[in-house]
Amino acid sequence: METICGLDPEALNRARISRDPRFDGKFFIAVTSTGIYCRPICPSRYAKRAHVRFFGSPAAAEAAGFRPCLRCRPEAAPGTPAWLGTAAVVRRALRLIEAGALDEGSVETLAGRLGIGARHLLRLFVRHVGASPLAVAQTRRLHFAVCLLEETPLPITQIAMAAGFGSCRRFNDAFRNTYRRAPRELRRAGLRGARARGTEEVALRLAYRPPYDWAHVQSFLATRAVAGVERVDARGYARTVACEGGHALICVRALPGEDALELRVAGAPPAALLQLSTVARRVFDLAADPHRIGDELAADPLVGSLARARPGLRIPGVWDPFECAVRAILGQQVSVAAGRTYAARLVERAGAVIQGGSDGLTHLFPDAATLAAAPLDSLGITRSRAATLRALARAVLEQRIDFDAAPEEVVAALAALRGIGAWTAQYVALRALGEPDAMPTGDLVLRRMAAASQRLLSARELEDRARAWQPWRGYAVMHLWRAAAAARMASPRPAGNRDAAARSAPSRAATCT
């Protein structure tokens, strides 16, 4: 790979010497004299340039025979955006691997989902990632295992299962091959003098590239929190999540003085921890590169000043794509508060009550099977909206909508349902799929904010205006939504349907923000 993230070897070397945390996780430094690879922020003394090689991912470094540094811990680096610098098919493959496609499935099955052959997929990965799909998947599992070894008191057997290894023997062999030591040796080093929390709760540190606007993320999620399922307060963001055989409670908060969030999980089986941490990274947009996004939006006369004022703005997600789609439909053409009220009623009437629920966390959000059979007449929504919800649930159950598909395929499948327009589909892509270029052009707030005068832009005009923001239109959306909310707070207007989005087609309602 001649360049990584658009940087040639000399630029990468300057970034290495700078130890700038904005490059953390975007590339990795391998030292031939030691056989170790590190993060760009590693505090170890600089190696001679002649001994240094650069890699775009930990998997590529490990495939070349280097082992991870135990001082800077490459497994704790912020995730690299999967869409950065790779072909479209590789981007989708990386998303699927991150979601666990190879934890139980084969490369052939993964290639089949992508519509190509396994050999061609391997060629693409070697060219764009520098390692095979299996190597990427194994590195992901091993790195998560190291986090559990160093940050939790879980038994090693449970860690092996949590990291997706079928047996302790497979885990030990893979660990020794990569780290040149047994897992128990790393545990002794990591937990020496530490006090075990017990296995009822697991706390994990999730790193990000600074800056990170936690205040905005917290406020955005608080405004939309669904009673019974979510709680947002000074302690952080907490919610209920469904797990195999039951449920778990998660809580995410900012760690003072650190470029990281803390994820606490209570009640989840160890096998669910890897998936829960993966989802948390997406929901809180931890793989974003704020420096690059800010640079590319800075030249725009409208969004540039907003991006400079709040460089750490992220896209707050929704935990489950189906839940996001349901909430988006409930919020069509009503205020944010009204949409939240409808969602809370749905949870109260159709959501499963959890045992021991307290502190406002009492229910699970209903799944597709539950929603398809649920009585929706008492929610206060229109018959057409209730029909849309049932149609969505049936489409998911019949696998006509697959939220693991490519974002453009999900958007097309959603928009094909009666009652779901382009706005709703793009909103799901933005908040549930983490698509950085999603653009709900039917939104009235965006059409008003993007207008140079008092005139409201049409959806087509907004689409033309937004071309300058590609491929980061989703971040421009967040900046404009936040600016509009700040303006409303500064000069409140009479209550009304301010946030309703325009209809994207005569028969389809669009969604509110």
Side-chain angles (χ1 to χ4, degrees):
M1 302 172 70
E2 296 181 359
T3 63
I4 299 173
C5 299
L7 303 176
D8 63 25
E10 290 312 308
L12 291 169
N13 192 53
R14 291 193 294 271
R16 169 181 79 104
I17 294 172
S18 74
R19 287 197 173 117
D20 191 326
R22 292 175 298 183
F23 293 105
D24 190 15
K26 295 172 69 174
F27 69 92
F28 295 84
I29 303 155
V31 181
T32 57
S33 57
T34 63
I36 292 172
Y37 75 93
C38 303
R39 297 157 68 178
I41 61 168
C42 186
S44 301
R45 66 185 182 89
Y46 296 118
K48 292 183 179 179
R49 175 65 183 90
H51 297 161
V52 170
R53 293 177 61 187
F54 299 103
F55 294 92
S57 68
E62 291 174 19
F66 295 94
R67 64 184 186 276
C69 174
L70 295 179
R71 188 172 183 184
C72 68
R73 292 186 54 199
E75 71 280 350
T80 300
W83 60 84
L84 197 60
T86 58
V89 66
V90 178
R91 289 199 300 269
R92 187 183 170 204
L94 288 170
R95 288 178 186 268
L96 291 172
I97 292 172
E98 187 69 15
L102 291 181
D103 290 349
E104 295 182 359
S106 65
V107 173
E108 288 73 16
T109 302
L110 174 63
R113 293 178 67 177
L114 299 168
I116 61 175
R119 283 189 174 184
H120 184 46
L121 180 62
L122 177 59
R123 285 194 293 268
L124 289 174
F125 261 68
V126 170
R127 176 183 174 187
H128 292 280
V129 183
S132 70
L134 284 177
V136 172
Q138 176 154 299
T139 297
R140 168 179 173 264
R141 292 194 293 266
L142 279 173
H143 282 193
F144 185 68
V146 172
C147 290
L148 294 179
L149 281 167
E150 298 201 333
E151 298 175 22
T152 77
L154 286 174
I156 290 178
T157 301
Q158 291 189 13
I159 288 175
M161 300 301 113
F165 290 89
S167 67
C168 250
R169 180 176 179 178
R170 284 183 57 200
F171 172 55
N172 283 324
D173 288 345
F175 201 95
R176 284 181 179 277
N177 288 336
T178 299
Y179 287 90
R180 307 292 194 271
R181 63 181 67 193
R184 63 179 180 275
E185 296 178 56
L186 193 59
R187 158 141 290 176
R188 282 200 294 268
L191 287 184
R192 186 178 296 125
R195 183 174 297 176
R197 297 187 186 90
T199 58
E200 291 299 316
E201 183 179 63
V202 171
L204 295 172
R205 185 178 177 277
L206 308 178
Y208 57 75
R209 292 181 193 84
Y212 189 97
D213 196 338
W214 170 253
H216 170 259
V217 171
Q218 191 174 29
S219 173
F220 190 94
L221 294 175
T223 303
R224 294 157 179 80
V226 177
V229 173
E230 298 173 296
R231 186 196 71 234
V232 186
D233 54 24
R235 292 168 289 177
Y237 170 83
R239 70 162 292 144
T240 62
V241 295
C243 293
E244 185 176 351
H247 70 275
L249 302 179
I250 66 102
C251 184
V252 179
R253 69 180 183 98
L255 289 174
E258 297 188 48
D259 295 332
L261 304 181
E262 181 187 65
L263 168 66
R264 286 185 174 269
V265 183
L273 293 175
L274 179 53
Q275 181 63 18
L276 290 174
S277 67
T278 298
V279 175
R281 288 184 181 277
R282 174 187 58 76
V283 170
F284 292 91
D285 198 13
L286 301 186
D289 180 0
H291 182 64
R292 179 179 181 181
I293 295 167
D295 283 351
E296 298 200 20
L297 294 178
D300 187 85
L302 174 62
V303 179
S305 60
L306 302 177
R308 286 189 292 272
R310 302 190 79 95
L313 208 70
R314 303 297 171 101
I315 300 174
V318 178
W319 196 264
D320 177 73
F322 175 73
E323 176 185 329
C324 182
V326 170
R327 291 168 61 168
I329 293 168
L330 290 171
Q332 287 176 345
Q333 297 188 313
V334 297
S335 68
V336 173
R340 186 178 65 239
T341 298
Y342 292 146
R345 289 176 185 169
L346 175 64
V347 166
E348 184 180 8
R349 289 159 175 75
V353 179
I354 64 174
Q355 293 183 351
S358 63
D359 207 9
L361 302 178
T362 56
H363 291 71
L364 293 173
F365 198 89
D367 59 16
T370 302
L371 184 60
L376 304 178
D377 299 336
S378 61
L379 297 184
I381 61 176
T382 63
R383 290 182 179 178
S384 61
R385 199 139 301 153
T388 301
L389 288 175
R390 293 191 181 95
L392 170 69
R394 287 195 299 269
V396 171
L397 291 173
E398 295 167 4
Q399 299 184 339
R400 287 182 283 121
I401 294 178
D402 177 10
F403 289 109
D404 288 331
E408 58 271 18
E409 295 177 18
V410 176
V411 167
L414 286 170
L417 294 180
R418 183 175 180 82
I420 295 182
W423 202 106
T424 305
Q426 288 290 330
Y427 185 85
V428 173
L430 178 72
R431 294 201 58 210
L433 306 181
E435 175 53 49
D437 201 38
M439 185 67 205
T441 53
D443 185 80
L444 287 179
V445 173
L446 298 178
R447 289 162 56 192
R448 184 175 69 243
M449 293 294 293
S453 62
Q454 295 299 318
R455 183 181 67 85
L456 194 69
L457 294 183
S458 68
R460 186 180 292 267
E461 287 173 326
L462 177 58
E463 187 170 357
D464 292 339
R465 175 68 181 83
R467 286 198 178 97
W469 308 332
Q470 289 181 309
W472 312 110
R473 292 183 299 179
Y475 292 91
V477 167
M478 297 308 304
H479 279 294
L480 292 173
W481 278 348
R482 197 212 167 272
R488 287 198 299 271
M489 292 179 65
S491 56
R493 291 184 284 176
N497 196 20
R498 296 190 299 265
D499 295 327
R503 291 180 182 270
S504 59
S507 62
R508 292 180 183 165
T511 317
C512 77
T513 58

